[in-house]
Amino acid sequence: MLKDITIGQYIARDSIIHALDARIKIMITTILIIALFTIDTFMGFGLFTAFVLGVILLSKISIKKVLKGLKPILILVLFTLFIHIFLTNGGEVLWSWKFISIESEGVYIGFFMVSRIFILILFTSLLTLTTSPLQLTDGIEYILSPLKRFGVPASELSMMMTIALRFIPTLLEEADKIMKAQQARGADFESGNLIQRAKSLIPLLVPLFISAFRRADDLALAMESRCYRGGEGRTRLHELEYKYYDFVALGMIIILAAAVSFY
Amino acid sequence: MLIELINVSHVYQDENNVKALKNINLEINKGEFIGIVGHTGSGKSTLVQLFNGLIIPSSGTVKINGKNITNEKSNLKETRRHVGLVFQYPEHQLFEETVYQDIAFGPKNLGLNKDEIQARVNEVMELVGLDYDEFKARSPFNLSGGQQRKVAIAGVLALKPDVLVLDEPSAGLDPQGRKQLAELLQYLYQELEMTIILISHRMEEIAELSSRVIVMHQGEIVIDDNPVEVFSKEQKLHKLSLDLPQITEILHRLDERGLKVNTSLFSVSEASAEIIKALRSK
Amino acid sequence: MSLIEISGVDFLYQNENSNRPALQNINLQIEAGDFAVIIGSNGSGKSTLAKLLNVLLTPSTGEIFVDGLNTNNPDNTWKIRQKVGMVFQNPDNQLVASMVEDDVAFGPENLGIPSQEIRQRVDKSLEMVGMSGFQKFAPHKLSGGQKQRVAIAGVIAMEPDCIVLDEPTAMLDPQGRKEVMETVEYLNKEKGITVVHITHFMEEAVDADKVIVMNQGEILHKGTPKTIFRLVKQLKEINLDIPVAVEVAEYLRQENINIPDILSIDELVEALC
Ligand SMILES: Nc1ncnc2c1ncn2[C@@H]1O[C@H](COP(=O)(O)OP(=O)(O)OP(=O)(O)O)[C@@H](O)[C@H]1O
Ligand SMILES: Nc1ncnc2c1ncn2[C@@H]1O[C@H](COP(=O)(O)OP(=O)(O)OP(=O)(O)O)[C@@H](O)[C@H]1O
Ligand SMILES: [Mg+2]
Ligand SMILES: [Mg+2]
């Protein structure tokens, strides 16, 4: 159940998308996300969706796998949709009952918001699916590094991200294990109303946090014993290196983004 | 029949689709002490999670006390109170503020009233050898590793299961902790007549405690017999990359070299006596 | 001078639950190339001693020299940590990165080694621990024994003189334990790396050059495995296991059967037949 979560997962493939420089991919994702919030036509969304599908194909990762990553956010999406449909006023009244009414503006905006969320999540999960966590954090560090002058600890931040990503699967596995152990003692995670279910999760969180802290302690020792002392003077196994196709990709994206935003 | 598996197979549904169990048929009777051994990844943990419905097999039937638990999901809670399961490193799963509350978690879920709960906690703490008054109010996190393990086992015993399943309960314990655990299991088995199912990598433990040994290999049961028989199959066990208990290994080696000894002894003192006898009569 | 020299060391944890020093009057030398094994019951101070060797802790009194460098001098800290690598008990809590090769590279990266050389060191270290070909694997997809060997590779990649292993086999199954011990023995015998190995498994101590027995913060005995495991009664008193073969030999001696000092099953069988 918890294992369905694909956020932060990386799937190694031999594809052009994987080969792109992490910094370029981060920049591209940022540009696309900004562009995403400027569009408000069906045409624009159609174009974006087609583009995302194209990228998925190029990345050689199965569409099913990518879409599976959307599952955990489904509730959030439905919630957004409801809020907009029922609470936004304006346009024609499509349906009404007592004080509730659905108006066309709400449906439009709801649809756009939902599409945005979907595409946004797809973009970011594509970024993590095709970029190894280390390259990703290196990329972020590199992009943030001009801010070091203003006291932003870019290297430390990126190290924290590396570690967080490393431990997501371990913690999920652990959560699974603890859940089973408590079920074996009669705990019930499946029935009852929402509040009861949320309450049954509390005994799950305590051992999970404790073990996370214990891990953090152990890990800090292990890192220190391997001479970790912050970003100062560290070198890299994989130095990031731009190639010609990185710039080609970036150029294409800027044109695409400009095109959809201005029409 | 307490537990019955009929043609059970299980595949974990993920990217690897590992076939963890293949066509298992197994009957476990009341009052047995079963030892399960096998190479890492052979399916031991998967197998025992079938016994209380934590895993519903991909195909086949699991019956507990004659009741089929594979299709009717509703009564799993009832099943779980008959079959208590202690996972590996159970002390990592402690969560309440006091030892008392942690042990009471199971009985509370069973819906017992306050007095009943207290009686049970009292009883199981005595069973595992934790003094009630000394430990009830202490935080489980400030205990030694061995004591934490006892609290965790007490938490499962508090369900009063008919069957107690333990997945590598002695991993990481020091010699004294292991000895105390073995004594506890022996007591539960002999005095309280519980059915015990023990997974362990320590052949010494399995050989000394169990009345029946199941050997798993790549998702299948390859040997199912009494310990004397199982540990006489030295060649076969080695092929499955399993060892004999070390003391039995010594007896086998001496036997091969022509010192006639009874090779089916599992305790060091008995085996030593046997060797002395053999040497004297040479 | 020995590779590691510990003289007159006490250690007291500076917090509330420490009324008794964790270590008292420790004196110990470990020679370059040694395979030293430390045994002792829970809480006897083994891990504390290990952490002192790697400057994760410094002595409250006394001195420790690693290759002539005093651990009390803060200027030496990083040099010593490069010379003495540590491997810990829980394989899940010491791997930093999401990919095996990145994890092995972590140490050399911290040392500021150029990237081509890191590449070579990573591949060489993984080969030494028998994990070539696992470069791109995620740690959570490996077995316990494999994780521990990756952790060892991560230490080897820093080219240390000595590795300190704090119960690296405690959480492993027999197969994983065998893999790890074979790796450690190979590194010691073939590559000349000094090993300090802490364990509860007595079988892992029988091939050592030196066995150190700790109890309640003190070194109770030290010597070759043969001299140590002759002390059957004393070891049992402080709650330690004894190799089975030694125990059998002891039973035989009590019955006045003459048996030379033996440690392993092989030696016992040889002595009896
Ligand atoms: N939750 C899971 N998801 C996917 N595969 C799993 C899961 N649990 C176990 N497996 C796989 O199923 C197989 C059997 O695993 P299982 O844990 O039952 O073995 P085991 O005999 O208990 O091993 P060990 O001695 O290491 O505990 C292994 O190949 C394992 O990788
Ligand atoms: N961080 C700490 N703060 C205070 N006391 C500590 C700390 N770590 C260990 N101790 C205490 O110091 C003593 C020695 O502990 P240490 O961890 O070195 O033992 P050990 O021999 O490694 O035991 P084990 O076999 O359980 O790993 C123990 O009494 C322990 O309780
Ligand atoms: Mg298992
Ligand atoms: Mg320790």
Side-chain angles (χ1 to χ4, degrees):
Chain A
M1 176 170 110
L2 289 162
K3 292 204 175 118
D4 288 341
I5 299 172
T6 54
I7 296 165
Q9 206 185 337
Y10 166 64
I11 300 180
R13 290 283 136 85
D14 185 17
S15 85
I16 175 77
I17 307 290
H18 285 75
L20 286 177
D21 188 281
R23 290 165 294 184
I24 295 284
K25 276 192 270 192
I26 295 170
M27 283 189 248
I28 288 178
T29 311
T30 319
I31 294 172
L32 287 175
I33 289 173
I34 294 170
L36 188 61
F37 280 90
T38 66
I39 56 170
D40 50 7
T41 61
F42 287 110
M43 177 69 187
F45 280 114
L47 214 65
F48 254 90
T49 312
F51 176 73
V52 174
L53 290 178
V55 174
I56 297 177
L57 280 181
L58 277 178
S59 74
K60 298 185 183 167
I61 294 174
S62 82
I63 294 195
K64 216 170 102 197
K65 185 100 203 166
V66 180
L67 291 183
K68 227 169 115 187
L70 293 177
K71 238 173 40 190
I73 59 144
L74 221 54
I75 293 183
L76 175 75
V77 170
L78 288 178
F79 187 66
T80 318
L81 191 65
F82 274 115
I83 296 256
H84 280 287
I85 288 186
F86 289 110
L87 298 184
T88 311
N89 299 322
E92 281 173 61
V93 176
L94 300 176
W95 180 80
S96 79
W97 178 73
K98 296 206 175 146
F99 50 89
I100 307 174
S101 72
I102 297 183
E103 297 168 22
S104 61
E105 193 72 2
V107 175
Y108 274 122
I109 296 189
F111 171 80
F112 285 148
M113 278 319 282
V114 166
S115 309
R116 278 197 191 116
I117 295 178
F118 269 129
I119 296 177
L120 184 88
I121 300 288
L122 275 180
F123 273 146
T124 37
S125 57
L126 264 177
L127 177 66
T128 55
L129 282 170
T130 63
T131 316
S132 83
L134 203 86
Q135 282 179 345
L136 195 63
T137 44
D138 278 356
I140 291 173
E141 177 180 354
Y142 194 91
I143 288 172
L144 290 180
S145 61
L147 299 178
K148 273 186 193 163
R149 243 173 295 158
F150 308 111
V152 175
S155 324
E156 284 72 17
L157 281 177
S158 84
M159 180 53 71
M160 273 163 58
M161 259 189 69
T162 311
I163 291 169
L165 289 172
R166 146 81 178 86
F167 278 96
I168 287 173
T170 312
L171 284 177
L172 287 179
E173 241 165 59
E174 183 122 339
D176 230 32
K177 238 192 294 177
I178 297 172
M179 219 158 143
K180 276 190 172 168
Q182 294 186 354
Q183 275 178 317
R185 288 168 71 188
D188 193 347
F189 297 103
E190 279 137 12
S191 57
N193 62 30
L194 210 61
I195 294 176
Q196 283 169 338
R197 278 205 237 176
K199 243 172 119 184
S200 72
L201 286 179
I202 294 172
L204 180 70
L205 293 179
V206 176
L208 202 58
F209 275 120
I210 291 171
S211 88
F213 283 126
R214 189 172 37 214
R215 275 180 212 289
D217 252 6
D218 284 4
L219 192 70
L221 266 187
M223 287 171 64
E224 213 181 312
S225 81
R226 282 162 78 183
C227 291
Y228 180 71
R229 49 190 138 165
E232 207 65 25
R234 283 197 85 209
T235 47
R236 290 301 151 84
L237 170 61
H238 304 281
E239 301 282 2
L240 292 174
E241 219 180 317
Y242 290 117
K243 311 211 180 49
Y244 76 92
Y245 49 75
D246 289 319
F247 295 106
V248 175
L250 185 61
M252 274 164 48
I253 295 300
I254 292 177
I255 294 168
L256 174 85
V260 293
S261 312
F262 289 120
Y263 286 103
Chain B
M1 201 93 45
L2 203 50
I3 299 177
E4 192 175 3
L5 307 192
I6 306 161
N7 290 331
V8 168
S9 298
H10 188 67
V11 179
Y12 281 103
Q13 300 292 346
D14 58 7
E15 66 260 41
N16 304 323
N17 284 329
V18 178
K19 192 147 195 198
L21 293 177
K22 297 175 197 155
N23 205 22
I24 302 272
N25 285 292
L26 178 65
E27 289 173 6
I28 293 173
N29 295 304
K30 199 166 161 20
E32 288 192 288
F33 193 132
I34 297 193
I36 303 183
V37 299
H39 189 250
T40 176
S42 58
K44 305 181 294 294
S45 300
T46 310
L47 180 71
V48 298
Q49 288 176 57
L50 293 173
F51 298 161
N52 70 351
L54 278 175
I55 291 181
I56 299 293
S58 317
S59 67
T61 311
V62 180
K63 284 187 188 165
I64 311 291
N65 277 328
K67 226 172 47 193
N68 186 346
I69 65 160
T70 23
N71 43 25
E72 47 181 291
K73 245 188 159 177
S74 51
N75 242 339
L76 283 180
K77 232 174 147 176
E78 182 59 25
T79 307
R80 286 183 191 147
R81 92 185 247 189
H82 289 300
V83 184
L85 184 51
V86 180
F87 283 90
Q88 207 178 0
Y89 293 103
E91 62 271 26
H92 292 177
Q93 287 134 25
L94 301 173
F95 56 94
E96 294 277 18
E97 273 165 51
T98 65
V99 168
Y100 180 93
Q101 287 171 339
D102 213 291
I103 298 175
F105 180 75
K108 250 190 236 160
N109 285 329
L110 294 181
L112 299 185
N113 70 36
K114 232 174 156 185
D115 294 338
E116 288 170 323
I117 293 178
Q118 184 178 356
R120 282 218 181 167
V121 174
N122 207 325
E123 188 184 333
V124 294
M125 281 180 72
E126 197 187 318
L127 261 184
V128 299
L130 289 171
D131 186 74
Y132 181 75
D133 292 312
E134 188 186 342
F135 286 99
K136 66 175 180 197
R138 284 182 62 179
S139 158
F141 303 108
N142 290 338
L143 303 176
S144 80
Q147 289 165 341
Q148 287 186 343
R149 180 85 44 109
K150 285 182 182 172
V151 173
I153 293 175
V156 173
L157 284 175
L159 295 165
K160 291 229 174 149
D162 312 323
V163 186
L164 182 66
V165 185
L166 304 103
D167 196 345
E168 294 182 44
S170 66
L173 288 184
D174 63 12
Q176 190 188 10
R178 287 203 305 270
K179 210 170 116 213
Q180 288 174 350
L181 179 74
E183 280 163 7
L184 172 63
L185 295 183
Q186 202 120 42
Y187 179 81
L188 296 174
Y189 172 60
Q190 283 171 349
E191 306 298 320
L192 304 188
E193 300 182 348
M194 276 173 87
T195 308
I196 311 254
I197 300 173
L198 170 71
I199 297 182
S200 177
H201 284 299
R202 281 186 179 263
M203 298 301 158
E204 286 75 14
E205 228 163 63
I206 295 282
E208 270 195 78
L209 293 170
S210 38
S211 63
R212 172 177 164 196
V213 178
I214 290 175
V215 182
M216 305 267 312
H217 183 63
Q218 297 186 350
E220 291 175 284
I221 294 178
V222 287
I223 309 178
D224 180 352
D225 215 328
N226 64 51
V228 172
E229 277 301 312
V230 172
F231 292 115
S232 65
K233 300 185 168 88
E234 194 187 2
Q235 301 295 324
K236 188 156 183 191
L237 290 176
H238 277 306
K239 243 184 253 155
L240 303 172
S241 44
L242 294 173
D243 295 325
L244 292 178
Q246 286 199 7
I247 187 66
T248 318
E249 168 103 30
I250 293 176
L251 294 173
H252 274 271
R253 298 274 292 278
L254 290 174
D255 195 53
E256 276 163 29
R257 295 281 293 264
L259 187 66
K260 281 291 156 238
V261 287
N262 173 4
T263 54
S264 50
L265 296 169
F266 305 124
S267 86
V268 176
S269 53
E270 282 173 5
S272 302
E274 173 74 15
I275 296 172
I276 291 163
K277 205 174 77 194
L279 286 174
R280 294 252 158 89
S281 65
K282 196 159 70 170
Chain C
M1 196 174 192
S2 316
L3 179 65
I4 295 174
E5 296 237 356
I6 305 174
S7 49
V9 165
D10 290 349
F11 184 83
L12 182 68
Y13 281 99
Q14 298 294 339
N15 55 23
E16 71 281 8
N17 55 347
S18 53
N19 27 35
R20 188 172 60 81
L23 291 176
Q24 282 178 62
N25 192 26
I26 302 289
N27 293 290
L28 183 65
Q29 282 94 35
I30 290 169
E31 312 298 329
D34 261 359
F35 194 119
V37 170
I38 305 181
I39 57 179
S41 58
N42 296 121
S44 57
K46 306 181 296 294
S47 299
T48 308
L49 181 59
K51 285 176 191 156
L52 285 165
L53 300 180
N54 187 260
V55 213
L56 291 170
L57 300 171
T58 49
S60 307
T61 49
E63 283 175 328
I64 299 177
F65 288 92
V66 174
D67 202 12
L69 302 168
N70 189 335
T71 64
N72 286 329
N73 180 351
D75 294 340
N76 292 334
T77 302
W78 302 105
K79 271 183 245 161
I80 295 173
R81 287 197 184 146
Q82 183 269 317
K83 285 177 191 293
V84 180
M86 283 273 282
V87 176
F88 298 88
Q89 181 181 93
N90 191 330
D92 272 321
N93 298 0
Q94 53 186 319
L95 302 182
V96 183
S98 313
M99 223 199 289
V100 166
E101 65 175 10
D102 292 332
D103 191 84
V104 178
F106 181 73
E109 287 177 345
N110 291 333
L111 297 176
I113 312 285
S115 72
Q116 279 123 8
E117 195 187 330
I118 298 182
R119 175 86 265 162
Q120 286 166 4
R121 285 193 186 193
V122 167
D123 293 340
K124 202 176 93 198
S125 318
L126 282 173
E127 193 190 317
M128 286 210 265
V129 300
M131 289 291 290
S132 300
F134 285 86
Q135 270 84 344
K136 305 281 180 199
F137 272 61
H140 70 275
K141 302 257 162 173
L142 302 177
S143 73
Q146 290 174 328
K147 281 183 212 169
Q148 282 304 49
R149 285 186 285 150
V150 170
I152 294 174
V155 167
I156 301 294
M158 297 172 73
E159 303 192 336
D161 301 329
C162 173
I163 325 181
V164 179
L165 304 109
D166 190 354
E167 300 191 37
T169 56
M171 300 181 85
L172 305 182
D173 62 295
Q175 172 86 6
R177 236 168 64 213
K178 217 178 279 170
E179 290 169 7
V180 169
M181 286 318 293
E182 276 166 10
T183 304
V184 173
E185 265 158 32
Y186 166 82
L187 293 174
N188 177 257
K189 301 271 147 19
E190 306 297 321
K191 303 288 163 187
I193 296 173
T194 311
V195 169
V196 177
H197 175 61
I198 298 174
T199 186
H200 282 300
F201 292 98
M202 297 305 136
E203 306 93 281
E204 294 172 5
V206 297
D207 291 327
D209 297 312
K210 187 184 264 171
V211 177
I212 296 135
V213 183
M214 296 197 59
N215 190 42
Q216 304 205 348
E218 290 176 299
I219 293 182
L220 210 57
H221 308 284
K222 58 188 165 193
T224 61
K226 284 215 163 113
T227 55
I228 294 298
F229 289 120
R230 206 177 291 152
L231 310 166
V232 176
K233 225 190 273 130
Q234 289 93 319
L235 294 181
K236 282 202 161 164
E237 257 162 32
I238 58 168
N239 231 325
L240 290 175
D241 264 338
I242 303 154
V244 174
V246 176
E247 218 178 335
V248 172
E250 196 56 28
Y251 270 105
L252 300 189
R253 280 189 208 113
Q254 280 169 9
E255 292 290 323
N256 297 319
I257 295 171
N258 204 4
I259 299 252
D261 274 331
I262 54 102
L263 289 170
S264 64
I265 293 182
D266 287 336
E267 287 172 342
L268 176 69
V269 172
E270 214 46 56
L272 287 178
C273 297

